[in-house]
Structure formats: C-alpha cells, structure tokens
C-alpha cells in the first residue's frame, strides 16, 4: 500500500484503535518503528478502567468507553476486556482537602462513597484513616484489547508495517510525501499517534511541536505472601504518592506514582524510584515484602494542560494530532478513536460520543 489515504504513525493503543475505526472507510497504513506494535507505553501499562483517573477532561471519554470495553461488539471481541476490581482512595488526616476535592469534582458523574479504609484492606496501618471507594473500577486486559484493535484494523483492510520509522514528510499541495526506512509513500493525511515521540514526529513533518512531554513511570512486582486476598481493591493515594493492586495470589503491582521528565526512549526503572515505591508501600500496609520479582518503566506522555490532544493542526490542516494520552489512553481508547475518526471524517458524531465536547481536546488551544 504505497498510496494510502491515511498514514498513522505509531502502533500502540492510540494508533491501533484509531486505525481500526478509520480503516472501515479509508485506505490506512500504520507505521511502527519497533519490531512489535505497542512495545513502549501500551505494553508496559498497569491499566484499569477508572472514571476519576486523569481528571475531569478525561472522565467523559472513560465513561463513554466503559460499555464498549465491558460488552464489545461480537465482531470485535467475543469476551469482555474488563474484570471487577474497585478502587480505594486512601489518605491520612492531612489529605482531607484532597478527599473533599475528589468527591466534589466527580459527585454526580461517578459513584463514590466515603468508607472506613481499614474494613476493605486488612493490614492497613492505623494512620490511614480516610477512604473513598470507587466501586465501578475494573482491570483491563490490555494485551487482548490491543490485539483486538490490530485484528479489526487488518480485517478492514489496514496494513501494518513494523520496523518502519518515518524519517521525513513534506506537504505537497494537499497531500504528503512520506519518507520511511522502507521507501517513499504518498498519502492525503498524516495522523500523529506516536506517544512519547509525538513532538519529534511533528518536527519531522515540518509541523511546530505543541509540548508533549514524556514522563517516566516506574512499576515493581512484589511477592507479599501475607496479602489477605487477590480480590482486594486497587489502593490509590489521595496525595498521588503511590498506587498498588493485587496481581494474582501473593503478588502486587506497585508504583511510586513517579513522573520524571524523559527524552523519548526505551525507558528503564531507576533504583531510587524502586526503593521509594517499596518504602511507600511499607508505610501503608503491614504485609512483609518477600521479594522484588520484576521492575520496569514506561513513558506516559502529557500535553501542557494534561488533557489529550485530538484534532487537525491549525497551521497544517493535513496533519492530525492523536497524542498526549498520559496514562489513560487504554481506558479511553474506544471513545477516543470514535471521536477522532468523526473529527477526521466530518459530519455528526456517533451516539456513543455525541455528548462529548471535542473542542476541549483541540490542538488549537496551544497555538
């Protein structure tokens, strides 16, 4: 496919989901610089569907995506991508303002209940007295979801080229000449779904960057034989210093909620962040840590206002931004893809996203 209508740069959850929607009505080529799609952020995510995660700008996308993840079209998947988890937001006495802000911001939009956190998490240390339960939270089968998007993309005629980086692109009178590792391609539209590399891709295409910043997030897998149950809720700090969730029997996935600015790269965990994660975990529960079984890091990419960026660049109409999805790109992928495809195609938005204000995500806000 050397003359596609659309070239998407990036094969993670962003590019795969939008590609799957667009390929139903256009010739779409997806370029992925790595040997496997989703190698960086998507393949390293500790993902869950949580309506409060990402803030008020993200919540409508998450809420709209929930039914599509829970009960997908049978052509897309025969099984749900979600399994019940719940989130317990916890805090000490000094976190009362953060608790009240959470309840006020999402009251009426998301089911939240004030609870005694010690009842839900045996072994919680006594100074953690504040609790807010978000009962609707679910784990997401990330690998299955990403694979389903790619499968749908190919089923609709889309082509994926792995190990193929965009080296240069030039706008030519309403179309593009794209230079890649595998030769030149002509297309009508470029979609920038390159995650941590989004600003670099823009510059390669002669488009001004908008300030997408990659932030490193560290995760460790701990063996904790004293953990009471694998069905405990995800425990998230009201002060944004950690969250952890069971990952099977006697194992926990834990992050210190770090956000260290990074250049786009194959991110690796730093020992200081690992040590901070364990120290914070041990300050919350009295479960002894038997071993650190795994540790890894990924890059979560944010715009300056931390809301995603969806839309045509105001200075370069044939260049579409689909980036800045932070740590919430997986849980919002169905609604975000449908919304962005509607922006590209024009006309009325489908019912699933009709109530979402697309203008909130426009790159014009940074120009």
């Amino acid at each position: 496919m050397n003359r596609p209508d659309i070239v998407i740069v990036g094969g993670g959850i962003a590019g795969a989901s939008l590609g799957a929607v667009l390929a139903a009505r256009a010739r779409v080529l997806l370029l992925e610089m790595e040997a496997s799609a989703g190698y960086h952020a998507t393949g390293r995510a500790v993902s869950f569907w949580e309506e409060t995660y990402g803030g008020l700008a993200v919540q409508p996308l998450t809420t709209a995506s929930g039914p599509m993840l829970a009960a997908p079209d049978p052509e897309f998947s025969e099984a749900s991508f979600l399994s019940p988890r719940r989130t317990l937001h916890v805090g000490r006495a000094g976190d009362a303002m953060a608790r009240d802000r959470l309840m006020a911001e999402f009251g009426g939009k998301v089911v939240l209940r004030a609870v005694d956190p010690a009842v839900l998490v045996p072994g919680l240390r006594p100074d953690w007295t504040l609790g807010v339960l978000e009962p609707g939270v679910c784990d997401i089968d990330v690998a299955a979801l990403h694979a389903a998007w790619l499968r749908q993309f190919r089923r609709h005629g889309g082509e994926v080229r792995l190990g193929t980086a965009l080296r240069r692109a030039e706008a030519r009178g309403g179309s593009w000449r794209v230079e890649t590792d595998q030769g030149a391609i002509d297309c009508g539209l470029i979609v920038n779904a390159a995650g941590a590399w989004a600003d670099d891709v823009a510059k390669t295409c002669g488009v001004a960057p908008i300030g997408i910043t990659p932030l490193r997030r560290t995760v460790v897998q701990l063996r904790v034989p004293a953990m009471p149950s694998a069905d405990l809720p995800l425990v998230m700090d009201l002060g944004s210093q950690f969250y952890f969730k069971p990952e099977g029997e006697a194992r926990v996935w834990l992050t210190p909620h770090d956000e260290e600015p990074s250049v786009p790269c194959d991110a690796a965990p730093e020992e200081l962040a690992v040590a901070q994660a364990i120290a914070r975990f041990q300050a919350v529960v009295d479960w002894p840590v038997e071993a650190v079984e795994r540790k890894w890091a990924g890059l979560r990419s944010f715009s300056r206002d931390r809301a995603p960026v969806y839309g045509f660049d105001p200075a370069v109409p044939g260049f579409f931004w689909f980036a800045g999805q932070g740590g919430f790109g997986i849980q919002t992928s169905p609604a975000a893809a449908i919304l962005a495809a509607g922006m590209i195609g024009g006309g009325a938005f489908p019912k699933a996203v009709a109530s979402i204000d697309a203008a909130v995500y426009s790159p014009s806000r940074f120009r």
Side-chain angles (χ1 to χ4, degrees):
M1 190 187 294
N2 286 323
R3 291 187 177 274
D5 302 311
I6 302 168
V7 166
I8 297 176
V9 184
I13 199 74
S17 59
L18 181 53
V21 179
L22 290 173
R25 55 179 183 263
R27 290 166 49 85
V28 184
L29 174 64
L30 190 153
L31 303 180
E32 169 54 54
M33 66 179 181
E34 302 293 352
S36 60
Y39 174 76
H40 291 284
T42 301
R44 308 179 193 195
V46 180
S47 196
F48 39 83
W49 182 84
E50 181 183 288
E51 290 174 283
T52 60
Y53 196 62
L56 289 173
V58 176
Q59 175 265 319
L61 295 165
T62 304
T63 299
S65 294
M68 292 181 273
L69 292 170
D73 187 300
E75 182 186 282
F76 184 57
S77 174
E78 296 180 354
S80 173
F81 298 105
L82 302 182
S83 55
R85 170 60 61 191
R86 301 172 298 162
T87 286
L88 175 65
H89 303 269
V90 298
R92 298 181 171 103
D95 295 313
M97 288 183 64
R99 176 202 58 191
D100 295 344
R101 184 168 58 251
L102 176 70
M103 299 285 281
E105 286 183 347
F106 291 97
K109 301 180 180 70
V110 179
V111 176
L112 296 171
R113 295 200 300 268
V115 295
D116 177 358
V119 173
L120 294 173
V121 181
L124 191 71
R125 298 195 184 276
D127 52 333
W128 295 88
T129 57
L130 304 180
V132 176
L133 182 66
E134 189 172 347
V137 174
C138 294
D139 291 336
I140 301 177
D141 188 336
V142 179
L145 179 60
H146 186 231
W149 284 124
L150 289 173
R151 185 169 58 249
Q152 185 85 328
F153 176 62
R154 292 187 173 102
R155 184 184 295 128
H156 288 156
E159 179 185 339
V160 179
R161 290 190 189 173
L162 301 174
T164 306
L166 183 150
R167 296 302 180 189
R168 181 174 176 272
E170 180 183 359
R172 296 182 173 182
S175 63
W176 290 90
R177 166 56 62 93
V178 177
E179 303 289 345
T180 78
D181 293 340
Q182 307 300 322
I185 302 164
D186 293 315
C187 68
L189 172 67
I190 293 176
V191 172
N192 183 1
W197 284 262
D199 270 1
D200 288 350
V201 165
K203 289 185 282 188
T204 299
C205 297
V207 177
I210 57 176
I212 301 292
T213 302
L215 304 175
R216 188 180 65 243
R217 171 61 52 87
T218 304
V219 185
V220 296
Q221 177 175 300
L222 305 179
R223 186 163 69 245
V224 284
M227 184 178 72
S229 169
D231 295 324
L232 292 175
L234 183 157
V235 178
M236 183 168 286
D237 177 28
L238 285 164
S240 299
Q241 294 295 298
F242 65 82
Y243 63 79
F244 61 86
K245 76 181 189 77
E247 184 62 21
E249 296 294 334
R251 284 175 173 80
V252 163
W253 280 4
L254 162 72
T255 173
H257 217 275
D258 52 331
E259 292 189 341
E260 187 68 26
S262 171
V263 298
C265 66
D266 187 354
E270 294 194 352
E271 290 306 316
L272 177 59
V274 173
Q276 286 176 332
I278 296 170
R280 292 172 186 178
F281 177 76
Q282 292 179 320
V284 181
V285 291
D286 63 6
W287 314 334
V289 175
E290 188 173 277
V292 177
E293 295 186 322
R294 294 174 56 206
K295 52 189 175 182
W296 67 95
L299 298 180
R300 306 158 78 252
S301 302
F302 289 93
S303 69
R304 295 195 295 275
D305 62 6
R306 297 182 72 89
V309 184
Y310 307 145
F312 289 101
D313 190 278
V316 186
F319 188 89
F320 190 91
W321 292 86
F322 195 58
Q325 299 192 86
F328 38 80
I330 295 167
Q331 69 173 25
T332 61
S333 60
I338 293 170
L339 188 73
M343 296 165 77
I344 290 170
F349 289 112
K351 182 179 179 181
V353 299
S355 64
I356 298 175
D357 182 5
V360 170
Y361 311 116
S362 172
S364 298
R365 69 190 192 272
F366 300 117
R367 298 304 195 198

